[in-house]
Amino acid sequence: MSGHTESAAVRYTVAVSDAQAHLWAVALEIDRPASRQRLSLPVWIPGSYLVREFAQHLQELHAQADGQPVAIQALDKNHWEVQLPQDTARLTVRYRVYAFDRSVRTAYLDT
């Protein structure tokens, strides 16, 4: 008999939050998250050797465990951790992304 561990399902929803303010709304859902779920953003993109500060464009970052607010702690400039109640079925993290850079390295949104 071999053990089987089911991996967590991860889903993103991206929608326009406010086009005039150049803001996307992002929702991240993780089914069966770890009790100390870590989250991160990359600091580089393929083909570019510069360190990017993608997290600087995040606004209003907050988390919910099964629909109830939970604290999200910044560990450094691009890593966060959420400590969750035991047997949390779903972690939802919501944030907005400022997008007003027309380069190929970032995001752009307007009306």
Side-chain angles (χ1 to χ4, degrees):
M1 175 188 285
S2 67
H4 175 74
T5 302
E6 195 170 323
S7 62
V10 176
R11 291 175 302 284
Y12 284 92
T13 303
V14 179
V16 174
S17 175
D18 183 341
Q20 290 182 341
H22 315 290
L23 293 170
W24 292 102
V26 179
L28 162 63
E29 292 182 337
I30 303 173
D31 293 338
R32 298 173 307 283
S35 61
R36 292 179 66 179
Q37 182 67 55
R38 288 197 172 201
L39 307 166
S40 64
L41 281 176
V43 293
W44 59 274
I45 55 175
S48 176
Y49 297 100
L50 298 175
V51 172
R52 308 290 176 186
E53 303 293 341
F54 296 118
Q56 73 181 336
H57 302 292
L58 269 60
Q59 300 177 8
E60 301 173 25
L61 180 68
H62 60 274
Q64 292 181 328
D66 296 331
Q68 298 300 311
V70 290
I72 184 166
Q73 177 184 2
L75 302 175
D76 58 32
K77 66 182 178 180
N78 69 315
H79 293 92
W80 298 265
E81 184 174 271
V82 183
Q83 293 192 21
L84 298 165
Q86 189 172 356
D87 299 324
T88 296
R90 178 174 295 151
L91 169 64
T92 303
V93 177
R94 296 182 192 280
Y95 54 95
R96 298 196 318 167
V97 177
Y98 181 71
F100 196 58
D101 184 341
R102 292 181 191 243
S103 75
V104 297
R105 298 174 305 274
T106 58
Y108 182 80
L109 173 67
D110 72 5
T111 55

